[in-house]
Every structure is written in structure tokens, then in C-alpha cells.
Amino acid sequence: MTRKIRLGAFLPGSGQHIAAWRHPDQPADGATSLAFHADLAREAERGLFDAYFLADGLAVAFGGGTEGGNAKVAGFEPVTLFSALAPLTSNIGFIATASTTYEEPYNTARKFASLDLISGGRAGWNVVTTATEAAAQNFNLDRQLPNADRYKRAVEHVEVVKKLWDSFEDDVFIRDKETGVFYDTSRVHHTDHAGEHFKVRGPLNVSRSPQGHPVIVQAGQSEDGRGLAAATAEVIFTAHQRLDTAQEFYRDIKARARGLGRDPGHILIMPGVSPFVGRTEAEAQKKYDRLTSLILEEDGIALIRGLTGGSLDLTGHDLDGPLPELEPTEGNQSRQALIRQIADENGFTIRQLYQWVASARGHFTVVGTPVQIAYTLQEWFENEGADGFNILPPWLPTGLTDFVDLVIPELQRRGLFRTEYEGRTLRENLGLPYPINRHAAARAAVQAAE
Amino acid sequence: MTRKIRLGAFLPGSGQHIAAWRHPDQPADGATSLAFHADLAREAERGLFDAYFLADGLAVAFGGGTEGGNAKVAGFEPVTLFSALAPLTSNIGFIATASTTYEEPYNTARKFASLDLISGGRAGWNVVTTATEAAAQNFNLDRQLPNADRYKRAVEHVEVVKKLWDSFEDDVFIRDKETGVFYDTSRVHHTDHAGEHFKVRGPLNVSRSPQGHPVIVQAGQSEDGRGLAAATAEVIFTAHQRLDTAQEFYRDIKARARGLGRDPGHILIMPGVSPFVGRTEAEAQKKYDRLTSLILEEDGIALIRGLTGGSLDLTGHDLDGPLPELEPTEGNQSRQALIRQIADENGFTIRQLYQWVASARGHFTVVGTPVQIAYTLQEWFENEGADGFNILPPWLPTGLTDFVDLVIPELQRRGLFRTEYEGRTLRENLGLPYPINRHAAARAAVQAAE
């Protein structure tokens, strides 16, 4: 089978871009509307996306603009939301974020196994350690645990969850009404995990689900994050603005995986891409300009202030003039220097600067025709930059519809993307293997040795 | 408005009765079938039930029969399951069980607020402290915490969750695309809770949901349980076999609530009822006999053994003969004496004894015609025994369908039950008040004083 591009869709109901909710197409109450999320799921499924992805935090995300202008202040809890969307769709996968720091593995294992049962095998878990002080303060702490401690806990948390998902072997249920034998007691297993952070006897009280294990997803960029991802992730979300840095990351992760004895083909690397699609270049640029024009001036200023740790406050300056010379402050000097460099290199006014920052913030923004965008994706896909992409439509639903109607057919025409779903489960569609139950494997090994 | 009977439906996909899964009508794989649970939800909604209820434990419920015959060994996690059922229904409420001992209040508050958003205001939380060693061993402990400690934590957990549900006031969202004001910053509140068990800054990152607070449900029978229920519950599940004990409980709870300054009409007491309904008495009895005949002999013996703490093992005895004289053992003497008393008083054979135990186990079993059953419910409802009932159909779906087709019309004919849903939310249907947001109330009090 030829290698195909994998596509995820980041579809927060509020839209991705800071000003998305002010766009005429975007329902202003999208963040808390089930109906809108259901429309998005069906639209992404029409585009044959592999998965619908939702990020998650365990605190209100204040900041990143003025407080009162933040449409991401409240939303759904993603696992419950995806459980609701599952019966309304039939093929698209659902990748929900959940924290290894502020949840217990027994609860994590249950909710993802349950989502996998509900969706007929379409669940994925985006493993995060939740790195904010605000979240720590919602869970009995004053300050969050050091990064290294959170990662050690994450490694063990994932290990326990996977053990719990193996509590029941695939062929455990007999359900013979005549004899009264419901299950084979020799195929249900205690977990008996006792580690540094967790002690879990098991078994899980949710049965093994259609995928065996929901797909494990991660987004680590740091050294600890790369290590965890190479060891356990099956899909990696990443953020790169340029092919060369994407290639460095791609090759590093695949090499680490190979070093750990894993098949590098079973770790799919998917950078984020924020597309503005037009039938012509001018139309695409107009869409970009339209959305960026909706950034409130005070939100733009607050964004620069936030990114520089409060050291660069441009209040009162002419937004259509150049970045002024300012006295160095006690604040975050390197971030301030970076912002200044971006402005100087591009000859940006203050307004152009915050528009660029608001739009690009970690994501690779592409503005162009379907052919131009498909060409860029193909270039990354064919040159060790990506196995697929996470599409972040800047506003919704039009940003998604544009991609489905215009870019998907162009990718299909080039033979780079599916024309129908290959399988029933997320794992099957992504081309990932079914995890053999560890207890069945151990028994098979013993039998082979005898 | 005349007082009406409230009805909940306990509908585990495995069926309620120990042998339900062996009944020809019951899908053997019901416990892990979304489609079957969806059928049950729609059927209960056809019967105009107030709510679909699911119990929950945080460990596999081994015991209560032979292990391999246990159809309750694995199921769904209830909040994810109800999230999936919500878009497939429109009026019925969803009361899910969740533990105050093994979850954190921020996570509890989020998932129930999210279910309430998803269902348009139909969520309820059955608050439990999870009293099993097996659960403790899935959460880093060797033995569970003492009862009193679990209850103290429960009281504070519920308090924190309610505070979190008040993070956003009702009229917080402005969403004015023109001005860019998404919300009123003065109507979002930190929680700033610091107590013995929890320290939670807030605010919650899920918005206030249609019910303000999902309905709080409890099932305490002990002194601690009654105290917690009288202080915080809006619905109380309880188990009584006789009207006089039901009345004692009812009057005690209502008196406690009155003593705490609560309106006793805002605490609905709902005993469990397991109905076998026939068009004639003989037909009802035949249904009872049919189901009890499906209890495997070894399951019946294991049930008696389990209930007596292992002290009464009847293996090898004639099941259709009387309970033998046995040497007293070191086991649980009082339980053994109770079992013997039941057998003696009723003149039961061993088989009749375990059939009675299997069926009645805590629930009030009624076997009869629709008129007989409606009369019993009416008697309890009109004499301070109950505000409503939790119906536990012994097997599914027929046990539920019988009740919907035969008993509901009889209750309606007597003017005791609704003929259509009164409201959109669970709270409205139950006749429970909308909780005023504490921050709005505090501001109103200040304004009134000025």
C-alpha cells in the first residue's frame, strides 16, 4: 500500500484564531454548543479526516489577549464531548487530551476504554503533563511539580493505563446462556502494579475495547517530551514553521524510536498547519486580512505584553508606526529581543507585528490556492518532514469547509490522500498495529517454549 | 400543582438480577453494548421516567456468585456513556455515580457540568464514597480509609464542586462581535477554597450549565450517610422492604432537612422497587419463577457463602431439602443466624432460600398485576413512605417494557404520574428549584443593604 498523508483536525468550538469568534461565519457561542461541535465532526468526516482533536487544560486559560475578549474561557470537557459526538458519526476518530499529573491511571484507563467502546474503536488519548501553575492551584498545590517529576509520573501513568487495558483478553467473553459461563476466569488479569507513583491492583472494570488500546498521542518538543514520545507515542503532534526544523525533529524521533526497538513506521509525526485557502492567491490573502483585521487593538497589545512576560507594553503608541525604541526593563529580555528582531526583519508596524504573532503562534500558517497548499504538504510529506498534518482551521466552520472542498480533492488527485476510509477503527485508518494483549503474548511464549 | 410520583430507572445493560443475562430476552452482551443502552434510554423516555440511573464502582465486582457467571464484570464508565446517550434522547435525565474518595473535585465538577451542557440540563450526580477494599487497591492504598474520614472528605468534595459550578454567573456571556467583548469579567469568580482535604483556586473552565448545578443525589443509610444526605442531597435513593421502615427513614430525613433550614419538599426520597408485572397474578408469578429458575445452583450456593462471610457453605447438600444443621464456625455468626432465620420463618428449601436472597437483596420486590403494583406504590407515596421510586426491572428490556406498557398507564389513570414531561431539565421535571448563583446572591444582598 502506498503511504498516504494522515490528517487530524483541531476543531475547538471557539475557533483557533484569537479573533475567530468575531468572524461573521463563526457562531459566537460555538465553544459551549453541542450542535456546532456535531456539525464540525460531520464536516471533518465528510473530508475523510482521520481524527478530530481537542486540546485541554485544567484551568481557565486567562491571558493571550484581554480577559473579557477571550472566547476560550469555558468549553466542554473533551472526553464527555467526544462520547456525545461518537454516536452522531461513524468513521472519524476522536483524540482527547487528558492529564497524567492531575488524574489517576484507573480513572484515565476507564474513560478512554469507555470512549473506545462507545465509538466502536475510534478513541485516542493525547497524553499531557499539564504545565501551568493555574492547573496546579486547582489540585491542592501552590506551585506545579518540576518538569522532570511530571515526566517521570507521566511515564509510569501511561504504563499503568496500558496494563489496565490488558485486564481482559480479547476472547474472554463466552456468554453461554445454556451453561451460565459468562467469561473465562483464566483470561481476566490483575494488574498488580507497584511503582514509584502508583500502586494499582486491577483489573479494570471496563472490558478490552475494539482497539485493544486507544491510540497514544503526544506533543512533546523538549528533551523529556521527545524521550517520552519516542518510547510510547503512536502519533506525535508538533509545531514547525519551516521544513528544516520539521526534518530535524522527524529524523530525531524516528532514530530514537529505532534505537528503542520500535518500528519507526508506527510513530506518525504530524505538524500543525493553519490554512487560509482561496481559489486565487488574492482570495486567500483577503481571507487572512479579513480575520487578522478582527483582532482588537488592545488584544494585540496584550498579546505582545504577555509574550514578553509583561516587559513590552505598547499602549499609547501609534499602531501603524514602527516599533519604538524602549528602555530595557527588568522583564524577559530575550523574548523582547526576539519580538524586536521579527519586527525589524519584516519591516513590520506594531499592528502587523501582533497580527503575525496572533496568527503564526507556533503553527505553520499557509495562505494560498489549493495547489499551492497541496504542494507544500506534499513537499513536507515526501521529504521526512511529516507523516501527516494536523489542520487548524483559523475560524469555523468555513475554514474547515474550505479545506474539505478545495484542498482534500487536490491531495486525492495527487494520490496522497484516501478517497474512502480504509477501516472501522482509528488504528486501522492510521495504519497502526493492533496491540497484542500482554497476558496472551506471555502465555503464547510459554507454550512455544514447551 | 398536585404532587406526582417521581420515577427513576436503574438500567444496567447486564440487567439487575444475578441471572438476568441468561434470560432469553436479555442481550448477553448488553453490559458493553451502546446500542442496547440507547434502546433502554428511549424506552424509559417513552415511559416518561424522570431519570436513567447508573451505579458505579471503581473495581471489578467479583463475588455475589461464581466468578465466571458474573455478567457485571465489565461495563461502561457512566458519565461517558450518558454523554453518548444524551444526544439520542430529549427529555430523560441522567444520574451518574461518581466517587468523592477517588476523584478530585475539579475533575468531578468538570465532567458533570459538561454532561449537563451536552444534555441541555439533564445531568445528576449520585455522590458516593466508594466503600470497598478493591477500589482502594486501585488507587494506591492497601486498605480503604475509615468510614468517617471518607464522609468528611465527601462533605468537602461536594462543597467544592458546588462552588466551582458557581464560577460563572448566568448572564456572564455577552459575545458582542462588534465591540469584541466576549464576557463580563466581573461575573467570573475564583473559587479560593482552602479546606482540610482540598485547596482549589478555580474558576472552573466549563461554563455554568443549564441547570446551574446538576441534581445532587445520594443513597446513604448509615448515620453519616443520612447526615450528608439531609444536608446536601436533592434526591435520595434508598432500599426498604416494608412500608414501616421506609416511613421511619422518610420522616427522619425530612425532619433532619427541616432542622437544617431546608425545604423538605426539595428532598425527594425514592426507594428501589423491583417489579414483576403480569396481566394476571399467575402471569406475574410465572415471570418471577422463570427468572429465578435461571440462577445456577453453584451461583446460589456462592451467594449464600458470600453473604455469610464464607461461613455457610452448602456445597453437596440437597438443594430441594431444608437448611441442614451445621457446626458453628469462626465465620460471620450474625449473618449466618439471619440467613437461618429467613429459611425457618418461610419454611424455605435451600433453593428457595437463595432464590429469595438473589431477588430481594436490598430491593423491594413486587410481583403482581398493574393494579396491585400501582396500589402498593400509591400506598407508599401517600403515607410518607416515598416521593417516588427507583424502578429496577429484574431483566431487560422486557422488565422495563412491562412496566412502561402496564404500570405507567395505571399510575396515570389514578392521577399519580405525568402524561407528558413538564420541563426541559431534570430539575424542572423533578420540581426542584434552580440554585441561585452564590456570587449573584451576595451582590444582590449588598445592593439591598445599600
Side-chain angles (χ1 to χ4, degrees), chain A residues 26 56 142 177 199, chain B residues 26 56 110 142 177 199:
Chain A
Q26 174 98 29
D56 191 43
D142 292 320
K177 291 192 178 196
K199 191 168 172 188
Chain B
Q26 173 97 30
D56 192 43
R110 284 189 93 202
D142 291 321
K177 291 192 179 196
K199 192 168 170 187

Side-chain angles (χ1 to χ4, degrees), chain B residues 3 238 240 242-255 258 264 267 269-271 376-389:
Chain B
R3 185 169 160 258
T238 179
H240 295 282
R242 299 200 320 258
L243 177 56
D244 60 346
T245 67
Q247 285 170 326
E248 183 280 320
F249 182 81
Y250 187 98
R251 289 167 184 152
D252 178 51
I253 292 287
K254 299 272 176 170
R258 214 176 279 110
I267 304 186
I269 297 177
M270 298 170 69
T376 302
L377 301 187
Q378 181 168 7
E379 189 186 10
W380 286 43
F381 178 65
E382 292 180 346
N383 293 286
E384 299 191 308
D387 295 309
F389 301 92

Side-chain angles (χ1 to χ4, degrees), chain A residues 401-432:
Chain A
T401 300
D402 284 351
F403 194 89
V404 170
D405 285 342
L406 301 172
V407 182
I408 295 280
E410 183 59 32
L411 293 174
Q412 289 169 329
R413 205 181 57 72
R414 292 166 188 242
L416 295 169
F417 191 63
R418 66 167 63 91
T419 52
E420 60 182 356
Y421 283 104
E422 296 87 1
R424 285 175 317 107
T425 70
L426 175 58
R427 217 164 250 294
E428 285 167 6
N429 286 318
L430 289 172
L432 293 170

Side-chain angles (χ1 to χ4, degrees), chain A residues 12-44:
Chain A
S14 58
Q16 189 67 35
H17 191 277
I18 183 177
W21 74 273
R22 298 187 64 207
H23 195 285
D25 297 349
Q26 174 98 29
D29 67 348
T32 49
S33 163
L34 176 67
F36 185 55
H37 284 88
D39 288 345
L40 295 174
R42 285 184 282 244
E43 184 70 354

Side-chain angles (χ1 to χ4, degrees), chain A residues 22-23 26 56-57 67-68 75 80 104 110 114 137-138 140 142 177-178 182-183 199 201-202 205, chain B residues 22-23 26 56-57 67-68 75 77 80 104 110 114 137-138 140 142 177-178 182-183 199 201-202 205:
Chain A
R22 298 187 64 207
H23 195 285
Q26 174 98 29
D56 191 43
E67 282 198 12
T80 47
E104 286 291 320
R110 284 188 92 202
S114 196
Q137 289 164 6
N138 289 330
N140 314 317
D142 292 320
K177 291 192 178 196
E178 211 46 57
F182 191 78
Y183 69 94
K199 191 168 172 188
R201 178 141 194 262
N205 61 357
Chain B
R22 296 186 65 206
H23 195 285
Q26 173 97 30
D56 192 43
E67 282 199 11
E77 185 283 322
T80 46
E104 286 290 321
R110 284 189 93 202
S114 196
Q137 290 164 6
N138 289 330
N140 314 318
D142 291 321
K177 291 192 179 196
E178 212 45 57
F182 190 79
Y183 69 94
K199 192 168 170 187
R201 179 143 194 262
N205 61 357

Side-chain angles (χ1 to χ4, degrees), chain B residues 318-388:
Chain B
D318 175 11
L319 299 184
D320 296 310
L323 203 62
E325 289 303 319
L326 292 165
E327 284 301 302
T329 68
E330 287 304 304
N332 191 321
Q333 298 290 326
S334 63
R335 280 294 192 87
Q336 192 177 131
L338 178 67
I339 290 289
R340 179 160 302 280
Q341 187 191 334
I342 292 168
D344 291 348
E345 281 181 3
N346 294 279
F348 281 157
T349 64
I350 294 176
R351 190 186 307 279
Q352 287 166 329
L353 177 66
Y354 74 62
Q355 287 177 345
W356 190 92
V357 170
S359 183
R361 260 179 111 185
H363 311 307
F364 178 39
T365 301
V366 289
V367 184
T369 65
V371 169
Q372 287 172 326
I373 292 173
Y375 176 80
T376 302
L377 301 187
Q378 181 168 7
E379 189 186 10
W380 286 43
F381 178 65
E382 292 180 346
N383 293 286
E384 299 191 308
D387 295 309

